[in-house]
Amino acid sequence: MAFHKISITINKESEQVVVPSNMTLMQMLRESLALTGTKNGCSAGECGACTVLLNGQPVNSCMVLAVECDGAEIITVEGLAHDRQLDPIQEAIIESGAVQCGFCTPGILISSRALLDRNPDPTEDEIGEALVGNLCRCTGYARIIEAVKKAARTKAIIAQSIPTD
Ligand code: FES
Ligand code: FES
């Protein structure tokens, strides 16, 4: 088995990690970097629990080899909060009661955050489309969709309150 030294930026921190050729990004995050917020639901690209942002795009980290991420920027659920302040989507998921067991929640948060970054005011259909790869077995999607709409409103209010000069 060959090993590779890769350089990555994870949650704004530079890291160098030695990974075997067959290690997935999900395994590297969970096993080499102890970032266990990224969940392993299926290891087969079907549940979305392992979703992270890879260069700004949501990906199933179980379907990406770690060695392919050399030079990449990765954001995991641990990187959403800043200065001890939750991201608006995290606040909204909690306030909307959109969590039961929580296993799907990291992936839902990452996919929702990616959606709001590219589309600050999504329709319900657009939210459903963005979350089509994130399976939730217990909460149901009504509260999750409501949470994404709530986070969009909060982000709009925050954006309006930031002085432009
Ligand atoms: S663990 Fe990656 S999609 Fe299910
Ligand atoms: S809250 Fe349990 S799978 Fe979504």
Side-chain angles (χ1 to χ4, degrees):
M1 174 71 63
F3 285 80
H4 313 266
K5 186 174 184 179
I6 62 170
S7 300
I8 45 176
T9 304
I10 298 195
N11 300 332
K12 311 289 184 195
E13 301 282 335
S14 298
E15 299 274 1
Q16 293 203 322
V17 195
V18 175
V19 296
S21 302
N22 64 351
M23 177 177 260
T24 66
L25 173 57
M26 179 184 74
Q27 289 170 324
M28 183 189 77
L29 293 169
R30 291 180 55 82
E31 296 166 21
S32 301
L33 297 168
L35 291 170
T36 54
T38 299
K39 300 300 182 202
N40 179 7
C42 67
S43 289
E46 291 177 359
C47 73
C50 66
T51 307
V52 301
L53 295 181
L54 173 59
N55 295 328
Q57 299 299 318
V59 296
N60 290 328
S61 60
C62 69
M63 301 303 287
V64 177
L65 288 173
V67 70
E68 295 179 283
C69 299
D70 192 20
E73 178 164 0
I74 293 155
I75 301 287
T76 70
V77 69
E78 289 90 347
L80 290 184
H82 290 290
D83 300 329
R84 303 177 67 82
Q85 188 73 39
L86 293 178
D87 187 271
I89 186 60
Q90 292 175 300
E91 297 271 14
I93 286 270
I94 294 167
E95 288 169 8
S96 302
V99 181
Q100 286 192 30
C101 79
F103 199 82
C104 69
T105 306
I108 299 253
L109 287 167
I110 292 287
S111 293
S112 301
R113 169 65 184 272
L115 170 66
L116 294 173
D117 284 348
R118 67 178 183 271
N119 178 358
D121 187 21
T123 64
E124 282 198 19
D125 283 353
E126 288 168 335
I127 296 169
E129 213 169 285
L131 296 179
V132 74
N134 293 91
L135 303 186
C136 177
R137 296 173 187 212
C138 33
T139 301
Y141 288 88
R143 288 182 183 202
I144 294 170
I145 289 171
E146 182 50 43
V148 177
K149 288 174 12 190
K150 186 180 174 69
R153 290 195 295 273
T154 305
K155 279 174 90 86
I157 291 166
I158 292 170
Q160 280 169 8
S161 67
I162 296 173
T164 51
D165 56 7

